[in-house]
Amino acid sequence: MDAYRCMMCGHIYDPAVGETKAFNNTILVNTDRMEEYEGKVMASQPIKPGTPFSALPADWRCPTCGYPKSYYQKVAPDTLTAMRTISY
């Protein structure tokens, strides 16, 4: 299955992994407590591994920036990196 990348923030949806994060639009004012909130927002309905991008709900949003599903594009394989054989 193909992975898809958000064109706004670069988040990658990998169908093999699924998604457990949810978009958090909370603005933190007290930055000395940021570690309490960072990475803690979980999706109410996580996307199970093996779910193709086309099967995501129409109202699904990027868990990092909140942009809609329409801002994602298929990740093309990096054939140039795969072809490199010289190691320095």
Side-chain angles (χ1 to χ4, degrees), residues 14-60:
D14 186 359
V17 177
E19 190 65 62
T20 58
K21 295 185 295 183
F23 176 63
N24 180 14
N25 57 3
T26 303
I27 298 172
L28 297 176
V29 178
N30 191 354
T31 56
D32 60 337
R33 292 181 35 206
M34 186 176 285
E35 66 277 351
E36 293 179 30
Y37 299 98
E38 205 169 46
K40 303 284 188 202
V41 181
M42 302 299 286
S44 60
Q45 296 177 344
I47 308 297
K48 295 178 183 176
T51 305
F53 187 76
S54 60
L56 295 178
D59 62 346
W60 185 82

